[in-house]
Amino acid sequence: EVQVVESGGGLVQPGRSLRLSCAASGFTFDDYAMHWVRQAPGKGLEWVAGISWNSGSMAYVDSVKGRFTISRDNAKNSLYLQMNGLRAEDTALYYCVKEGPSEFFDYWGQGTLVTVSS
Amino acid sequence: DIQMTQSPSSLSASVGDRVTITCRANQSISTFLNWYQQNPGKAPKLLIYAASSLQSGVPSRFSGSGSGTDFTLTISSLQPEDFATYYCQQSYSTLTWTFGHGTKVEVK
């Protein structure tokens, strides 16, 4: 059974850092690109960052460029999101998402909540 | 950047109704268009990929169509479990996939 499980969320002050992790199982992790998608309270879905299967390519939404870094460790079947310089507008539920074989998201975690507030 | 515009932002319907949601891209995305359903407090679920392909396990009352810039999600006969929020998503730009703002389907 495919599973992706996020961790690392919490309450953090503006300007501070947080690192999210995602543990994947049930599939060949290094065969697939992975992504982070977030959802602010009561709002829609926002794609945040994506990384190719071999870490050769990464991409970010403009609002997090230069502050967030996506990475993966294929030996550990894990995905990460290093978030620096956090802002109130980064408050959201962050989902770890597996990319499917044909350019779609086929498996989502349950999310980890990040709250940026003083 | 590719922007996705969904309409309407919300709609009211009754069980048994035919429901149509549209999604428009600001440039051609061929058929790189997916649809997701999200119920409150749950993670999104893939319904349709590549504009018109039904994900395994999704009821056949859901269908998708379109190509280029204009796309449609249709629910042929709305069921109680279909009251949810629906999102379109483009996957044309490698690794940079944007969502529409969502359409909330509510009980009339």
Side-chain angles (χ1 to χ4, degrees), chain B residues 22-71:
Chain B
T22 63
C23 183
R24 175 168 289 176
N26 65 346
Q27 68 178 74
S28 176
I29 57 170
S30 184
T31 56
F32 289 92
L33 192 284
N34 309 312
W35 291 97
Y36 300 84
Q37 176 194 62
Q38 187 179 33
N39 285 295
K42 301 292 187 181
K45 169 189 169 184
L46 177 68
L47 298 176
I48 302 285
Y49 63 94
S52 60
S53 296
L54 194 66
Q55 172 68 344
S56 176
V58 174
S60 59
R61 62 181 180 273
F62 291 94
S63 64
S65 65
S67 66
T69 60
D70 294 313
F71 302 87

Side-chain angles (χ1 to χ4, degrees), chain A residues 13-67:
Chain A
Q13 294 178 328
R16 304 299 291 265
S17 298
L18 207 58
R19 189 196 197 205
L20 305 184
S21 299
C22 170
S25 60
F27 64 101
T28 305
F29 184 70
D30 54 12
D31 274 354
Y32 296 97
M34 297 290 294
H35 298 256
W36 290 97
V37 173
R38 67 185 178 184
Q39 187 167 35
K43 302 297 184 182
L45 301 172
E46 181 181 40
W47 172 84
V48 174
I51 186 167
S52 62
W53 65 275
N54 64 350
S55 302
S57 298
M58 285 84 80
Y60 303 89
V61 68
D62 285 348
S63 60
V64 309
K65 283 180 182 175
R67 300 188 299 123

Side-chain angles (χ1 to χ4, degrees), chain A:
Chain A
E1 179 192 5
V2 172
Q3 282 195 313
V4 287
V5 180
E6 306 91 341
S7 62
L11 174 63
V12 62
Q13 294 178 328
R16 304 299 291 265
S17 298
L18 207 58
R19 189 196 197 205
L20 305 184
S21 299
C22 170
S25 60
F27 64 101
T28 305
F29 184 70
D30 54 12
D31 274 354
Y32 296 97
M34 297 290 294
H35 298 256
W36 290 97
V37 173
R38 67 185 178 184
Q39 187 167 35
K43 302 297 184 182
L45 301 172
E46 181 181 40
W47 172 84
V48 174
I51 186 167
S52 62
W53 65 275
N54 64 350
S55 302
S57 298
M58 285 84 80
Y60 303 89
V61 68
D62 285 348
S63 60
V64 309
K65 283 180 182 175
R67 300 188 299 123
F68 290 12
T69 302
I70 189 172
S71 62
R72 64 190 295 162
D73 184 337
N74 287 345
K76 295 183 178 180
N77 288 353
S78 293
L79 176 72
Y80 306 101
L81 186 67
Q82 177 67 42
M83 304 185 294
N84 298 332
L86 282 161
R87 305 167 180 168
E89 55 264 36
D90 296 319
T91 294
L93 187 65
Y94 284 74
Y95 291 103
C96 170
V97 188
K98 173 185 172 292
E99 184 175 319
S102 298
E103 283 83 36
F104 53 76
F105 291 160
D106 56 358
Y107 289 95
W108 300 62
Q110 287 306 300
T112 187
L113 182 63
V114 173
T115 303
V116 183
S117 174
S118 55

